[in-house]
């Protein structure tokens, strides 16, 4: 009787001819993530299994697997030979003593002489004989004994299914560049897009010395938490100070944030092109603040020439975004009180519905904006976050 962890994958089942690509990417990702623990990974048909690990590493392995996109659920299981006596004695051994239960059988091995229903009934009877205080409840049992007969003569027996991140394996949908601030929303946006299979690069704008080294550290910490889900992240840190000072010096104060956002989007698109990212991702949510009205999004989006911009939080309430941030573990870091570059030189009344013509005029007021942007791109510091 071997202790194992059974891995099930979700949506990949729906894939047709390129299913092999999705599966091999998932396997590669799982192996890479598990490389920090001593264990054995094996592939069965539509199941993966982790075995040969020390008891003390079990929770670590579960914690890693819960964060691998493409995995739907996992179970702590025991693996036995597909033999009726062995299966029966194991089910009896793993059952609780009292309460209600049911047996659920999945029979991928069609050579086994009983059907799934017959085997469930048989095992249920044997469990009841051994534990007379138990009773059967097929609809809402206290626990379920799952019996999974695989094609290769092995059977997995387990009680609990632990839900995992789901989604598609990282790297199967190309690469995206997330505009990562130190706030609550952009890490959630990053998670949501990474979940659909995007490999992630990140870009952060800081205004050192107006913003502190701690603020930059906070963004690196957020990227590290996200890397726990989407693998290594290359974080491009842009020195935004000079551009911000020039905007402050030359532009209408009420357009300060709008113009800053325009410059950020332009720089982000340039970086996306050089780093092979096919889309931009940001944490905007419609109407959340002045810079996220339809008119504001229109003018900042207009600085992007030919790269799709994804805003997965656009239709979410702040409460829903916070709920996700808590679930993925970024919330506590996001609310640390370090300033973001957008809060530097904050005007008293930022424009809510910027006029596109005025935006162009304001941008034109900044002498040598192109050169400033080139310089900002050239002086980017790239940090590998793992
Ligand atoms: P967040 O919680 O993600 O900071 P927010 O509610 O504070 O969002 P804004 O400050 O308006 O919203 O920013 C909107 C989006 O612009 C952010 O979600 C992020 O994608 C991007 N952004 C803002 N500031 C920065 C920054 N300093 N570096 C990189 N991206 C940024
Ligand atoms: Mg912010």
């Amino acid at each position: 009787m071997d202790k194992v962890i059974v891995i099930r994958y979700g949506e990949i089942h729906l894939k047709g001819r390129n299913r092999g690509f999705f599966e091999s990417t998932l396997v590669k990702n799982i192996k890479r993530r598990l490389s920090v623990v001593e264990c054995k990974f094996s592939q069965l048909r539509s199941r993966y299994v982790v075995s040969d690990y020390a008891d003390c590493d079990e929770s670590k392995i579960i914690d890693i697997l819960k964060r691998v996109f493409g995995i739907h659920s996992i179970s702590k299981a025991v693996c036995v030979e597909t033999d009726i006596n062995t299966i029966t004695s194991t089910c009896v051994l793993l059952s609780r003593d009292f309460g209600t239960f049911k047996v659920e059988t999945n029979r991928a091995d069609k050579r086994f002489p009983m059907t799934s229903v017959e085997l469930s009934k048989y095992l249920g009877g044997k469990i009841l004989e051994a534990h007379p205080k138990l009773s059967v409840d097929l609809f809402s049992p206290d626990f379920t004994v799952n019996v999974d007969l695989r094609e290769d003569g092995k059977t997995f027996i387990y009680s609990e299914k632990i839900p995992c991140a789901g989604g598609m394996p990282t790297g199967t949908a190309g690469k995206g560049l997330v505009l990562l601030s130190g706030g609550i929303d952009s890490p959630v946006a990053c998670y949501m897009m990474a979940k659909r299979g995007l490999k992630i690069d990140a870009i952060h704008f800081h205004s050192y010395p107006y913003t502190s080294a701690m603020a930059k550290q906070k963004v690196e910490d957020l990227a590290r938490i996200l890397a726990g889900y989407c693998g290594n992240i290359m974080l491009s840190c842009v020195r935004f100070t000079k551009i911000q000072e020039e905007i402050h010096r030359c532009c209408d104060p009420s357009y300060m944030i709008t113009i800053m956002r325009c410059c950020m989007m332009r720089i982000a698109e340039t970086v996306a092109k050089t780093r092979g990212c096919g889309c931009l991702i940001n944490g905007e949510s419609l109407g959340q603040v002045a810079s996220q009205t339809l008119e504001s999004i229109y003018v900042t989006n207009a600085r992007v020439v030919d790269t799709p911009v994804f805003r997965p939080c656009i239709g979410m309430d702040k409460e829903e975004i916070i709920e996700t941030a808590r679930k993925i573990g970024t919330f506590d870091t996001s609310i640390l009180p370090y300033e973001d570059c957008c809060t530097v030189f904050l005007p008293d009344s930022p424009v809510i519905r910027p006029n596109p013509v005025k935006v162009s005029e304001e941008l034109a007021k900044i002498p040598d904006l192109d050169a400033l942007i080139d310089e900002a791109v050239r002086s980017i510091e790239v940090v590998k976050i793992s």
Side-chain angles (χ1 to χ4, degrees):
M1 186 164 94
D2 297 325
K3 262 179 69 167
V4 297
I5 295 170
V6 179
I7 301 173
R8 294 173 211 87
Y9 46 79
E11 217 179 301
I12 299 178
H13 281 306
L14 304 175
K15 293 287 161 197
R17 264 184 299 148
N18 53 2
R19 177 171 163 165
F21 164 65
F22 285 85
E23 284 191 1
S24 62
T25 308
L26 179 58
V27 167
K28 204 172 66 196
N29 292 348
I30 295 173
K31 283 184 177 168
R32 189 183 313 129
R33 303 285 275 286
L34 285 179
S35 63
V36 294
V37 192
E38 198 162 322
C39 60
K40 188 175 157 209
F41 174 85
S42 356
Q43 273 176 272
L44 306 178
R45 235 184 289 171
S46 59
R47 294 278 188 282
Y48 303 140
V49 179
V50 184
S51 60
D52 300 276
Y53 49 84
D55 283 350
C56 59
D57 284 334
E58 187 177 71
S59 58
K60 192 170 178 187
I61 294 171
I62 291 174
D63 197 48
I64 292 173
L65 294 175
K66 275 165 100 173
R67 289 161 202 263
V68 177
F69 291 124
I71 297 180
H72 185 256
S73 65
I74 55 176
S75 292
K76 289 194 268 182
V78 294
C79 177
V80 296
E81 297 299 322
T82 301
D83 159 74
I84 187 69
N85 294 328
T86 314
I87 293 173
T88 307
S89 59
T90 310
C91 287
V92 167
L93 191 71
L94 295 180
S95 274
R96 295 182 205 166
D97 276 339
F98 54 87
T100 58
F101 80 105
K102 73 170 174 179
V103 179
E104 209 158 273
T105 302
N106 176 39
R107 188 180 61 120
D109 184 352
K110 299 299 178 205
R111 296 165 311 174
F112 192 77
M114 291 180 190
T115 65
S116 310
V117 176
E118 284 166 356
L119 183 57
S120 292
K121 276 190 189 157
Y122 173 82
L123 292 171
K126 292 291 178 191
I127 291 171
L128 280 175
E129 269 174 31
H131 302 279
K133 287 188 195 145
L134 277 176
S135 59
V136 173
D137 180 345
L138 296 181
F139 300 104
S140 58
D142 297 332
F143 69 96
T144 303
V145 178
N146 292 281
V147 181
D148 187 10
L149 276 67
R150 305 312 305 165
E151 294 89 343
D152 60 352
K154 299 279 182 204
T155 293
F156 299 116
I157 301 169
Y158 59 90
S159 177
E160 203 193 350
K161 274 189 187 172
I162 304 167
C164 295
M168 303 301 281
T170 301
T172 52
K175 189 159 74 160
L177 180 70
V178 62
L179 285 87
L180 193 63
S181 70
I184 297 169
D185 309 329
S186 47
V188 169
C190 171
Y191 173 86
M192 289 172 79
M193 294 312 301
K195 183 174 173 180
R196 296 307 303 162
L198 277 180
K199 171 111 189 62
I200 296 291
D201 266 18
I203 183 167
H204 174 66
F205 298 85
H206 66 86
S207 296
Y208 190 78
Y210 300 109
T211 55
S212 64
M214 295 297 278
K216 195 163 148 245
Q217 182 61 47
K218 175 183 170 183
V219 173
E220 290 187 19
D221 292 345
L222 284 171
R224 197 161 296 113
I225 297 170
L226 292 165
Y229 296 94
C230 34
N232 294 345
I233 293 178
M234 302 306 282
L235 171 66
S236 297
C237 298
V238 185
R239 280 194 220 164
F240 205 49
T241 319
K242 212 159 166 188
I243 294 176
Q244 239 179 329
E245 284 171 342
E246 282 299 278
I247 299 172
H248 184 58
R249 191 174 65 83
C250 308
C251 301
D252 177 343
S254 67
Y255 272 67
M256 174 93 202
I257 292 192
T258 311
I259 302 300
M260 256 170 52
R261 279 289 143 72
C262 290
C263 295
M264 281 186 181
M265 293 300 263
R266 222 181 112 178
I267 294 173
E269 185 179 30
T270 309
V271 172
K273 297 264 180 226
T274 53
R275 301 203 60 85
C277 299
C279 65
L280 297 177
I281 302 159
N282 72 28
E284 287 170 331
S285 159
L286 190 63
Q288 194 188 82
V289 287
S291 60
Q292 295 174 29
T293 60
L294 210 48
E295 293 81 354
S296 296
I297 291 173
Y298 175 83
V299 293
T300 51
N301 197 65
R303 304 301 133 193
V304 180
V305 181
D306 65 353
T307 306
V309 181
F310 295 135
R311 302 171 175 84
C313 300
I314 199 72
M316 292 168 82
D317 291 349
K318 193 74 186 185
E319 277 311 312
E320 293 172 303
I321 299 173
I322 289 175
E323 199 183 307
T324 310
R326 285 191 201 279
K327 190 186 84 184
I328 66 176
T330 52
F331 183 75
D332 290 341
T333 305
S334 287
I335 58 171
L336 292 174
Y338 304 118
E339 66 296 323
D340 179 46
C341 74
C342 299
T343 55
V344 180
F345 308 124
L346 200 65
D348 288 338
S349 52
V351 62
I352 294 172
R353 306 189 192 292
N355 176 325
V357 178
K358 179 148 163 85
V359 169
S360 300
E361 287 166 5
E362 293 298 321
L363 281 164
K365 283 186 191 169
I366 307 165
D368 286 329
L369 181 58
D370 289 351
L372 284 173
I373 287 182
D374 281 352
E375 191 188 322
V377 171
R378 253 183 305 160
S379 61
I380 280 175
E381 175 205 359
V382 183
V383 189
K384 182 176 175 181
I385 309 282
S386 48

